[in-house]
Amino acid sequence: MDVRVSGHQVETGEALRGRVAERISAIADRYFSRAIGASVTFGRGPHDRGFTCDIVAPVNGIVLKAFGRAPDAHVAFEGAADKIEKQLRRYVSRLRERKTEVDEASAEPADNADYTIFSYPSPDETPSPEHPAIIAETRVDIPEASVGDAVMLMDLRNTGALMFRNKGTGQFNMVYRREDGTIGWVEPRG
């Protein structure tokens, strides 16, 4: 497995690079035999305090991402590696569950679905700029998945939202993590 270790304004020593390669390879071997590589980037924390560690690992068509921050580079890496391992553990258990389930009815929309309307802050409490700044634009592939798989992919990618093509309906849907930790699902009307 190819593990690329780099530092952004940080010198990465041989011991750190060796530990990173050893741990990432062990994680990949434990969960996936076909993992190709990973990129681990170390940087300085805010206000030159501590270290940050970003891990990006493409595995079997998905991209895993994790972030760690700590006073020591080794501790920052271990925190991010633990997150990657947790994501992979969930992913593998989800795949095992899917193999044992044979439930085709879940692909069809439910007629008796409940919904809740949450109150939003009033416009007086949250002033919004007239033209908000666009932070970043990226091009990504939109996966075809069930709603449950889309939530899993969102967790694996460590993002707040994911657009996907629903396997059951063929339409574009979106799942997102709400402020209270629950998952929201946006589906267009038929």
Side-chain angles (χ1 to χ4, degrees):
M1 178 173 181
D2 178 36
V3 179
R4 188 175 63 97
V5 180
S6 59
H8 181 68
Q9 299 177 349
V10 172
E11 193 65 34
T12 57
E14 193 62 37
L16 180 61
R17 280 188 251 133
R19 176 64 185 140
V20 166
E22 177 185 314
R23 176 85 192 271
I24 295 292
S25 295
I27 291 171
D29 290 344
R30 183 173 182 183
Y31 293 102
F32 294 102
S33 59
R34 295 176 294 176
I36 297 170
S39 174
V40 181
T41 307
F42 291 92
R44 300 295 292 168
H47 311 293
D48 291 332
R49 294 184 185 166
F51 295 89
T52 61
C53 177
D54 289 303
I55 301 175
V56 178
V59 177
N60 287 359
I62 58 172
V63 179
L64 303 174
K65 296 179 183 178
F67 175 78
R69 177 180 290 152
D72 181 56
H74 289 271
V75 177
F77 166 70
E78 290 298 331
D82 288 344
K83 289 177 186 175
I84 288 280
E85 192 166 14
K86 183 178 179 182
Q87 290 172 357
L88 281 171
R89 190 171 38 251
R90 280 194 216 150
Y91 178 63
V92 169
S93 68
R94 174 76 174 143
L95 289 177
R96 286 186 189 134
E97 287 174 11
R98 285 199 69 204
K99 286 182 181 179
T100 59
E101 292 177 354
V102 184
D103 185 12
E104 305 244 349
S106 63
E108 296 190 22
D111 293 332
N112 60 350
D114 292 335
Y115 65 93
T116 304
I117 300 174
F118 293 93
S119 62
Y120 289 97
S122 68
D124 299 335
E125 294 175 10
T126 56
S128 61
E130 196 169 319
H131 300 287
I134 297 173
I135 303 300
E137 288 186 23
T138 58
R139 294 184 186 269
V140 295
D141 293 327
I142 297 176
E144 184 172 337
S146 66
V147 177
D149 289 344
V151 172
M152 178 183 59
L153 285 171
M154 181 179 68
D155 286 341
L156 288 172
R157 293 179 178 183
N158 200 19
T159 60
L162 176 75
M163 178 175 275
F164 66 101
R165 185 181 295 272
N166 190 323
K167 276 188 177 178
T169 63
Q171 294 183 325
F172 288 107
N173 288 199
M174 185 176 86
V175 289
Y176 62 96
R177 187 164 309 280
R178 298 176 54 90
E179 286 182 17
D180 61 358
T182 59
I183 302 295
W185 172 26
V186 179
E187 182 177 32
R189 292 194 175 152

